[in-house]
Amino acid sequence: MDPAQENQELKARLHAFAAILRLGRDAFAAGDLTAVGVHIVNNSRTLLAYTRSVLADLRGTPRILAEFAQPEVNQHTAYAQAVLRLCREITVGEAPVEITAETPPPGKLSSRGEAAWHELTAENRRLLIVPLRAPAAPFSKKEPFLWILEYADAIPPHVNATLSLLSADFGGALWLNTPRKGSGFWRFLRKITPMRIFLLLVLVFLISLFMVNVEHTVSAEFVIRPKAVFSSYAWFDCVVKKCAVQDGDTVKKGDVILVYDTDRMSFQLAAAQAAFQEADAEYEKESKASFTDREKLGQLKVLALKREQARIAIAEAKWYLAHSQVRAEADGVVTLPEGSADKLSGRALRQGEKQFDIFTGSGMIAEVMVNEKDASVLENPPKVVLFLHTRPELPIDVRIISERFYPELTEQNIYSYNLKAEMVGKVPDLRYGMRGVARVTGPKVKLGYYLFRSLVLWYRGL
């Protein structure tokens, strides 16, 4: 195998393994049982490539705990009822169970169970049922938590290997947030009164307000921009006849970018030249006649003005024709407002309307837009780490090169303080216009300051 290809494959596996670890860690940090279920069905799709996913809770009254891409679960839909019916009647082993229209589910099914099986596997859909067990729990054919993954085509070969790692963490996170009966815990609570617990918590909280330091971190949006941008605007109302470049092309100074339609202006030039020749001929005629007829002298002034007016019209038409080709004012990469030369051709432009941009220079910077309500993090030079939307697992360290100490209105109609930062080190495949989330960290603050500041901002936003 080619060493470069082998290294690329190794990196892909490491990224996949890191994603598995991150999903498991986030499941334990979800907070409650419903949040864990929503995390499982929504955030695992990148790794497992399913088309649909639900998590069934079979404890007590069976219910759908979470469903993929649904903020709230409707327990009464036909799909939810079919999933619950099938999960109640099947038996599962230690490994995930694959069910298709030709492969019946394990266990004895009733007529309603068979109807649910045929409904869920219609149109060649495949189901993969994964039991999510508690850590170190004994094997049971009836598991309280079943994760159902739906595929439109064949199940990818890497899914089973990935599930062997994910199911253990997901099962542990679910059972960690499942209420359990514990007599020892309740006996401990009988020794102290609720009031004492409350007073102790209040005392600990008050001490923490002045003693505990917390990291002051906020999130902000950023966009990758060039160090310098040249923008071209239309000098007059016109129609674009041809765009000589494509979006993203590299141009040199003086290259033709746009060509205007000059047919109308050519006709105006011809008309102005004809008017000039006519006025000039009349002027010459009346000029000769004025030697014998003094009354012609007054008419000569009018003809001279008409000839001058025609000359100005000729100069105006020539000026328009001379500016009918728009050239690049600097070297760089051209970006078109419509994103395509075909869409720009034939378009009418108003005076002052932007025609194109040229990204000059070879460097790139990140413009970080910190929301005005989070401006307290900028009291001292903050630490900024960038995460691109296309590669959220890769942190990008930057160095702040400039700050604007006044808020600006962004495209989302939000006032923000803009920071310009330069990437430290080389970032592969970085392109203009890329966006992401910046983690802006200021100096540590006391817990009291952090909490009361958040409460004041929350109250102000009501």
Side-chain angles (χ1 to χ4, degrees):
M1 182 182 291
D2 186 14
Q5 184 179 358
E6 185 176 0
N7 290 337
Q8 191 70 19
E9 183 179 356
L10 180 59
K11 289 181 180 179
R13 291 182 178 179
L14 288 175
H15 287 165
F17 184 71
I20 293 173
L21 294 179
R22 187 171 64 254
L23 285 173
R25 181 201 62 189
D26 293 344
F28 280 97
D32 57 50
L33 188 62
T34 302
V36 175
V38 171
H39 169 76
I40 291 173
V41 301
N42 286 316
N43 297 334
S44 307
R45 188 171 185 270
T46 304
L47 285 176
L48 302 179
Y50 48 76
T51 57
R52 198 171 188 176
S53 170
V54 293
L55 181 62
D57 182 4
L58 304 181
R59 298 174 301 131
T61 302
R63 65 191 181 101
I64 299 297
L65 185 61
E67 184 175 355
F68 174 71
Q70 297 296 325
E72 294 183 4
V73 178
N74 187 352
Q75 306 289 341
H76 304 290
T77 62
Y79 179 78
Q81 294 297 318
V83 169
L84 293 176
R85 170 59 60 181
L86 185 63
C87 289
R88 281 198 298 262
E89 297 188 11
I90 66 172
T91 57
V92 294
E94 296 184 355
V97 178
E98 181 178 355
I99 300 175
T100 64
E102 294 79 15
T103 306
K108 187 177 180 181
L109 301 181
S110 63
S111 59
R112 295 178 62 185
E114 289 184 356
W117 163 40
H118 292 303
E119 179 182 350
L120 294 174
T121 57
E123 299 178 358
N124 295 325
R125 288 178 291 181
R126 298 174 179 268
L127 300 180
L128 191 62
I129 301 180
V130 185
L132 301 180
R133 298 185 173 87
F139 172 75
S140 173
K141 293 184 178 180
K142 293 293 184 181
E143 288 296 331
F145 295 102
L146 292 181
W147 185 17
I148 299 90
L149 285 70
E150 181 179 311
Y151 292 87
D153 298 313
I155 299 176
H158 71 277
V159 169
N160 286 326
T162 305
L163 282 173
S164 63
L165 298 175
L166 280 179
S167 59
D169 288 338
F170 287 167
L174 286 171
W175 285 100
L176 179 66
N177 292 277
T178 302
R180 297 183 180 87
K181 295 181 180 179
S183 57
F185 178 75
W186 291 109
R187 285 198 302 268
F188 170 75
L189 287 181
R190 293 192 192 102
K191 297 179 183 179
I192 57 177
T193 62
M195 181 57 68
R196 291 179 180 178
I197 296 177
F198 175 75
L199 293 176
L200 180 62
L201 293 177
V202 170
L203 179 61
V204 173
F205 175 72
L206 292 176
I207 295 174
S208 301
L209 290 178
F210 302 97
M211 300 297 294
V212 177
N213 292 324
V214 295
E215 193 175 64
H216 192 189
T217 300
V218 300
S219 297
E221 295 184 354
F222 76 91
V223 61
I224 301 299
R225 299 188 185 278
K227 287 188 175 180
V229 180
F230 171 80
S231 299
S232 175
Y233 300 90
W235 286 21
F236 48 84
D237 296 348
C238 59
V239 176
V240 178
K241 181 179 182 180
K242 176 185 177 183
C243 180
V245 298
Q246 293 292 337
D247 187 64
D249 286 354
T250 301
V251 297
K252 298 291 185 180
K253 183 177 181 180
D255 290 350
V256 176
I257 306 296
L258 299 179
V259 178
Y260 297 155
D261 188 351
T262 59
D263 292 343
R264 177 170 170 270
M265 203 53 60
S266 298
F267 290 138
Q268 290 183 0
L269 176 61
Q273 290 175 341
F276 176 79
Q277 292 175 358
E278 180 182 358
D280 187 63
E282 291 182 2
Y283 182 83
E284 292 295 334
K285 176 182 176 182
E286 297 298 331
S287 177
K288 293 179 180 178
S290 64
F291 287 104
T292 58
D293 188 357
R294 293 296 180 180
E295 295 181 358
K296 299 290 185 179
L297 292 176
Q299 192 174 0
L300 278 179
K301 293 183 179 180
V302 176
L303 293 175
L305 292 175
K306 294 176 68 174
R307 187 174 62 173
E308 186 63 24
Q309 185 178 9
R311 183 183 289 110
I312 293 174
I314 293 173
E316 180 185 14
K318 288 183 177 180
W319 182 86
Y320 278 107
L321 291 174
H323 290 81
S324 61
Q325 291 186 349
V326 182
R327 300 180 181 271
E329 296 291 337
D331 299 345
V333 177
V334 65
T335 61
L336 304 176
E338 296 294 335
S340 171
D342 297 334
K343 293 182 179 179
L344 192 58
S345 299
R347 177 182 171 183
L349 298 177
R350 291 289 186 182
Q351 182 179 2
E353 185 176 354
K354 181 183 287 189
Q355 303 177 114
F356 56 85
D357 290 326
I358 295 179
F359 295 163
T360 62
S362 58
M364 296 185 181
I365 60 173
E367 185 175 356
V368 183
M369 294 156 282
V370 181
N371 197 313
E372 187 182 18
K373 70 178 183 179
D374 299 322
S376 58
V377 78
L378 304 176
E379 291 181 359
N380 292 321
K383 179 182 178 182
V384 180
V385 180
L386 308 181
F387 298 90
L388 289 167
H389 289 318
T390 56
R391 292 193 297 273
E393 75 285 354
L394 178 65
I396 303 174
D397 294 325
V398 297
R399 181 178 63 255
I400 297 177
I401 57 178
S402 69
E403 299 181 54
R404 295 181 182 176
F405 297 99
Y406 55 90
E408 298 183 32
L409 191 63
T410 63
E411 299 173 355
Q412 294 78 22
N413 290 327
I414 297 174
Y415 281 98
S416 67
Y417 289 84
N418 294 348
L419 310 177
K420 290 186 178 180
E422 188 176 29
M423 274 69 73
V424 177
K426 185 176 181 181
V427 182
D429 301 328
L430 195 63
R431 299 187 299 274
Y432 296 131
M434 279 187 166
R435 295 179 177 270
V437 177
R439 186 178 63 194
V440 184
T441 304
K444 288 188 175 182
V445 295
K446 297 298 180 183
L447 178 62
Y449 168 82
Y450 185 80
L451 291 180
F452 285 113
R453 168 188 165 274
S454 301
L455 288 174
V456 170
L457 290 175
W458 172 80
Y459 178 76
R460 189 181 67 177
L462 287 179

